[in-house]
Amino acid sequence: MSRKFFIETYGCQMNTAESEALKNELRSSGWTEAEYDKEAQLIVINTCSVRQSAENRIWGRLGYFKSLSEQHEFRLVIIGCMAERLKDELKKKFPVVSDVIDNEHKNKAARILSGTEDDSTSDLTEDYSFFEKYGKVSSTHAMVPVMNGCDNFCSYCIVPYVRGRETSRNDDEIIKEIRQLTAEGVSEITLLGQNVNSFRYRKDSFEINFSALIRRILNDTDVKWLRFTSSNPQDFSDELIELYASEDRLCKYLHLPAQHGSDNVLKNMNRKYTVEQYRTIIRKLRSKITDLSLSTDIMVGFPGETEEDFNKLKDFMNEMRFEDAFTYYYNPREGTAAYKMTDDVPHDVKSKRLSEIIEIHRTTSTDVKLKRIGQETTAVVESISKKDDKMLLGRTDKNSMIVFPGGVDLLNRYVNLSISGLKGSTYTGGLINV
């Protein structure tokens, strides 16, 4: 009987990539992935600590697994940022947890879980070895971590404390991985990092920055589409803007977290740019790319946010016209600098302000998307529609989903499509040619 594992993943795309890497290592050690947790002898929860709500979900899942342990025996392991932040507290509160593997030891997680290595004797001199494992999320798409950690210490953010300081990978190893992936049929790569465009790798007598890394990937590999996330405005150079404009294989979708539209709030957040600097980046990009798809993160209700600050944010949202936005209100996060600030925006005000921002975003995003009806686009076919098996679901270079009629022979292929309509946030369309 084969040993079966089951992995639950919460949080960012880096966690997704790391879970996929762990799956690959476990398979190579003789494990088989279970379809359901009730079938597994090993259950791993890859956790997130960015917001309290993320941790609350994990506490709830631990209650579920406590009940499940009464039905059959399994080993429950916690990894990821919550494991780094809370460590022994997890096992104390929930004895059902067998092991907690923090971020320092996760580079050897598969060997620890397979019983081939003692987690108490981890050799931490292995430079970035865990993060050299890509996450292959489909036959055509893979996520490749290029750096880990963050040096910015935004006042609301726990990441530097649980992920550590910034570490960039050897560009030769990144190129080697991408070549291996393209040889296996992968055509789309997403470069990952907590602050991906701060990538810096010192090599001999010179330093390779993020723009140089992108150029090398495009020159030295056969990747068809290249994306990256998540970037920081303070590190978004003119060199990178020129790359966006000149390189067709660099997808015209950008996730660039703004967080707010008021300089006062940005300063309190310890974000090292101004609203005008953010605006200038987008102005330059849009002057060169007429149909850039722009995504962002927005937080309302940060300590000290006044009505004037919030009005500036609303004006900013209307001006930027983000196609996608991840919006949320501030919750105090123990362990961060902001936790010591007075949380002086009442909860009902936070909720009201968030609703207003969501409505502005919904209106502007829909308007941006509607203007693409009648245009042609290219998409990679990712799956059969769950609602209609005669329809396919594709993803465009602008990260939009489009549903259209077609057969299974088109799966994982790039197709040319006409955009005919919009249902919710998903386009409808039809094949131009195969």
Side-chain angles (χ1 to χ4, degrees):
M1 182 178 177
S2 64
R3 298 179 298 173
K4 291 188 175 183
F5 71 88
F6 182 85
I7 299 180
E8 282 191 359
T9 305
Y10 297 86
C12 65
Q13 287 181 300
M14 182 73 86
N15 269 13
T16 300
E18 291 169 357
S19 288
E20 293 301 319
L22 181 55
K23 289 178 184 180
N24 291 336
E25 291 198 41
L26 287 171
R27 291 187 191 104
S28 67
S29 298
W31 291 82
T32 302
E33 185 173 6
E35 186 174 358
Y36 303 105
D37 52 29
K38 295 177 181 179
E39 303 173 348
Q41 290 80 49
L42 170 64
I43 297 174
V44 180
I45 308 179
N46 193 355
T47 60
C48 174
S49 282
V50 170
R51 287 188 279 277
Q52 185 62 49
S53 58
E55 289 193 357
N56 290 343
R57 291 178 67 192
I58 305 303
W59 290 120
R61 291 300 287 165
L62 290 178
Y64 163 77
F65 286 117
K66 179 178 181 296
S67 298
L68 186 63
S69 67
E70 298 170 1
Q71 301 173 32
H72 82 99
E73 187 175 343
F74 57 86
R75 181 182 181 186
L76 179 61
V77 180
I78 309 297
I79 65 172
C81 293
M82 193 171 172
E84 176 68 27
R85 197 178 84 82
L86 297 177
K87 297 183 180 177
D88 294 340
E89 185 178 340
L90 288 159
K91 292 180 72 172
K92 288 179 181 178
K93 287 189 175 181
F94 283 90
V96 67
V97 175
S98 306
D99 304 275
V100 177
I101 302 177
D102 60 24
N103 285 338
E104 286 186 331
H105 294 78
K106 70 161 68 175
N107 62 329
K108 294 187 176 182
R111 282 171 282 173
I112 292 170
L113 299 179
S114 296
T116 59
E117 181 143 5
D118 181 355
D119 63 349
S120 66
T121 60
S122 177
D123 178 7
L124 300 181
T125 64
E126 293 186 43
D127 181 26
Y128 208 53
S129 60
F130 182 82
F131 302 102
E132 292 174 7
K133 307 297 191 301
Y134 56 80
K136 191 172 178 182
V137 294
S138 74
S139 60
T140 60
H141 183 206
M143 296 182 291
V144 177
V146 299
M147 60 84 64
N148 180 60
C150 184
D151 290 345
N152 290 323
F153 290 90
C154 299
S155 59
Y156 55 83
C157 186
I158 197 73
V159 167
Y161 306 98
V162 293
R163 284 278 183 175
R165 304 301 293 268
E166 290 179 2
T167 307
S168 295
R169 293 183 55 197
N170 186 321
D171 62 312
D172 290 334
E173 292 300 319
I174 295 169
I175 295 297
K176 180 180 177 182
E177 275 186 12
I178 293 176
R179 284 175 174 168
Q180 178 183 341
L181 286 162
T182 56
E184 295 171 359
V186 169
S187 56
E188 181 181 358
I189 297 290
T190 299
L191 307 178
L192 295 181
Q194 275 76 37
N195 193 29
V196 68
N197 57 330
S198 70
F199 176 93
R200 297 284 189 279
Y201 184 76
R202 182 157 294 280
K203 191 171 186 179
D204 301 324
S205 59
F206 62 95
E207 185 178 75
I208 297 173
N209 64 17
F210 188 58
S211 296
L213 174 65
I214 287 179
R215 281 199 185 91
R216 188 173 177 202
I217 291 170
L218 294 174
N219 290 335
D220 295 355
T221 76
D222 295 327
V223 63
K224 182 177 176 67
W225 279 358
L226 185 65
R227 309 180 191 269
F228 60 85
T229 196
S230 181
S231 51
N232 193 305
Q234 73 186 49
D235 298 311
F236 213 95
S237 66
D238 285 344
E239 185 181 14
L240 188 53
I241 291 172
E242 290 300 322
L243 273 174
Y244 254 101
S246 61
E247 295 288 351
D248 291 338
R249 293 153 67 198
L250 191 56
C251 292
K252 301 307 182 279
Y253 166 81
L254 173 63
H255 182 69
L256 190 62
Q259 298 299 349
H260 211 276
S262 164
D263 286 339
N264 290 332
V265 176
L266 290 176
K267 183 177 180 181
N268 289 337
M269 289 177 168
N270 197 32
R271 299 288 284 183
K272 300 175 179 67
Y273 55 87
T274 64
V275 174
E276 182 57 32
Q277 287 170 331
Y278 187 98
R279 183 183 287 118
T280 298
I281 293 169
I282 304 308
R283 186 183 299 124
K284 288 179 179 178
L285 283 164
R286 285 176 168 164
S287 71
K288 297 175 183 295
I289 306 163
T290 57
D291 195 22
L292 175 73
S293 178
L294 182 62
S295 171
T296 196
D297 296 343
I298 296 292
M299 181 193 297
V300 302
F302 192 75
E305 182 189 70
T306 64
E307 192 68 31
E308 181 182 358
D309 292 325
F310 180 63
N311 287 333
K312 288 180 179 179
L313 174 58
K314 290 193 292 184
D315 291 342
F316 178 73
M317 293 293 291
N318 278 308
E319 176 189 357
M320 289 294 104
R321 299 174 65 78
F322 296 107
E323 189 161 344
D324 287 302
F326 301 90
T327 57
Y328 51 102
Y329 58 71
Y330 171 76
N331 271 315
R333 196 76 192 89
E334 186 178 0
T336 65
Y339 191 72
K340 300 175 183 178
M341 299 178 182
T342 301
D343 186 15
D344 56 357
V345 182
H347 184 270
D348 61 335
V349 175
K350 291 180 183 178
S351 296
K352 180 177 180 295
R353 289 177 179 177
L354 180 59
S355 296
E356 289 185 52
I357 291 302
I358 290 172
E359 184 57 35
I360 291 172
H361 168 60
R362 183 182 293 115
T363 300
T364 55
S365 175
T366 300
D367 185 53
V368 169
K369 289 179 181 292
L370 284 173
K371 289 180 178 178
R372 295 204 183 104
I373 293 176
Q375 295 181 5
E376 296 181 2
T377 189
T378 300
V380 58
V381 185
E382 292 192 344
S383 64
I384 298 170
S385 171
K386 293 180 180 179
K387 296 181 179 179
D388 186 343
D389 61 10
K390 294 183 176 61
M391 304 293 284
L392 299 175
L393 195 62
R395 185 182 301 275
T396 73
D397 77 321
K398 294 180 176 62
N399 209 40
S400 297
M401 303 308 296
I402 181 167
V403 63
F404 61 95
V408 294
D409 57 308
L410 295 179
L411 285 173
N412 303 321
R413 292 174 58 182
Y414 287 78
V415 294
N416 296 321
L417 301 167
S418 60
I419 301 174
S420 58
L422 182 69
K423 291 184 177 180
S425 61
T426 302
Y427 289 113
T428 58
L431 284 165
I432 296 174
N433 55 60
V434 178

